[in-house]
């Protein structure tokens, strides 16, 4: 799970660089914020799931579903905060950064 989160972070940085080359600073920040809207909730989920798995009984399905719901709610909250707080938002760059980070697991699937 840590490899996936670190890969998502690297893809977010690459998406930010590409957005900067295509659209300038506002597009770069928008793409990075969009990627972070995916990376941060996944990191929280991964840490909590790892901590839950380290308990003597192991991870239970209830904690998985609770933290999955929290991850989705945190993603929605971060996207809403980005839309409301960042005034120079480039929506296309933000959505591009979000989708790039969200779909970065494809690189891990086809790695072998």
């Amino acid at each position: 799970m840590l490899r996936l989160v670190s890969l998502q972070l690297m893809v977010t940085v690459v998406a930010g660089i590409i957005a900067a080359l295509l659209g300038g600073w506002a597009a770069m920040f928008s793409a990075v914020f969009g990627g972070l809207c995916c990376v941060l909730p996944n990191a929280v989920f991964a840490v909590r799931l790892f901590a839950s798995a380290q308990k003597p009984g192991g991870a239970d399905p209830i904690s998985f579903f609770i933290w999955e719901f929290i991850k989705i709610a945190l993603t929605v909250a971060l996207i809403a905060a980005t839309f409301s707080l960042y005034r120079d938002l480039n929506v296309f760059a933000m959505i591009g950064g979000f989708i790039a980070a969200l779909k970065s697991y494809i690189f891990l699937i086809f790695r072998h």
Side-chain angles (χ1 to χ4, degrees):
M1 194 74 166
L2 181 62
R3 285 191 328 190
L4 177 63
V5 173
S6 62
L7 178 66
Q8 285 179 330
L9 192 57
M10 287 186 284
V11 168
T12 298
V13 170
V14 170
I17 291 169
I18 292 171
L21 294 174
L22 295 176
W25 289 104
M28 181 196 72
F29 284 118
S30 297
V32 169
F33 288 152
L36 288 178
C37 288
C38 179
V39 173
L40 293 177
N42 282 337
V44 169
F45 178 73
V47 167
R48 292 305 304 164
L49 196 62
F50 179 76
S52 176
Q54 299 303 316
K55 291 190 301 189
D60 57 335
I62 302 285
S63 67
F64 174 82
F65 287 114
I66 289 171
W67 283 103
E68 182 68 24
F69 176 75
I70 291 171
K71 180 179 89 167
I72 293 169
L74 186 57
T75 301
V76 170
L78 286 172
I79 289 172
T82 302
F83 270 102
S84 65
L85 296 176
Y86 186 52
R87 300 291 174 214
D88 294 333
L89 185 67
N90 183 331
V91 176
F92 294 115
M94 184 198 156
I95 292 172
F98 182 79
I99 291 173
L102 188 65
K103 296 300 176 185
S104 62
Y105 68 89
I106 292 173
F107 293 121
L108 289 179
I109 291 173
F110 292 120
R111 198 179 101 210
H112 292 289

